[in-house]
Amino acid sequence: MARPVRRAERGVLPAPVRERLAVATAEYNNCTYGLSAHTSIGAHVAKADAEVLERARPVESTDPYVDALPALADAIDRGSGPIDEQQLKTARAAGVTDAEIAEVVGDLALNILTNYFNVLADTDNEWPVVTPYAHG
C-alpha cells in the first residue's frame, strides 16, 4: 500500500506575512487587481486581520519582526534591487533570517511580475475592488 503524500508547507514565511508583502507590493505598483486579490486572499485564506492588511499598504506594522519583512521588500522594490546596508542590519536585528530574506526576494519578484502583467493586460477584476492610493 502506498503511503499518503504530505503536502509541504510553502516557504518559511507564514501565509499572512506573504499576503502582507503582496499587498504592499501591489500598492506600490498601483496594481488594483493584485491589491484586490491579495487583500481578499489575505483576509479569507491566510486569516490576516483587515487592519493588518490595511497597514501593509503603506508598509506599517506594530510588530518589529513583521515590520522588517515588508520594509525590506519595499526597499528592494523602490531601489530596483540594491538597498542600504542598514536596512539589512535592521531586518536581521529584528530576527529575520537569511532564508526569510531569500523568500522575501523571491516573493517580491513574483509579485512584481504579476503586478506588471495585470496592469499591462488590464485584467478583469473578479475580487472585491481595492483601489491603490494616489501616488505622487
Side-chain angles (χ1 to χ4, degrees):
M1 177 180 343
R3 290 184 354 188
V5 176
R6 290 179 40 176
R7 195 180 89 173
E9 222 17 70
R10 181 189 166 262
V12 295
L13 297 176
V17 172
R18 287 194 309 269
E19 291 307 318
R20 290 187 65 218
L21 294 172
V23 164
T25 305
E27 177 64 43
Y28 178 70
N29 290 316
N30 291 306
C31 181
T32 300
Y33 184 89
L35 187 57
S36 301
H38 289 288
T39 298
S40 185
I41 293 167
H44 298 101
V45 178
K47 305 297 185 199
D49 182 82
E51 181 184 339
V52 167
L53 291 168
E54 183 61 31
R55 291 178 65 103
R57 294 175 69 179
V59 192
E60 296 175 352
S61 175
T62 57
D63 180 320
Y65 166 77
V66 173
D67 188 44
L69 296 163
L72 181 62
D74 189 60
I76 294 167
D77 196 8
R78 291 177 187 272
S80 299
I83 63 169
D84 183 273
E85 184 65 27
Q86 186 57 44
Q87 189 74 44
L88 266 178
K89 287 180 183 178
T90 299
R92 287 193 173 113
V96 176
T97 67
D98 287 344
E100 290 168 325
I101 292 169
E103 189 168 331
V104 164
V105 172
D107 282 357
L108 180 60
L110 180 59
N111 288 325
I112 291 170
L113 173 70
T114 59
N115 289 172
Y116 286 7
F117 178 84
N118 287 310
V119 168
L120 179 65
D122 194 21
T123 305
D124 289 338
N125 192 353
E126 69 272 14
W127 303 95
V129 175
V130 179
T131 305
Y133 301 136
H135 296 278

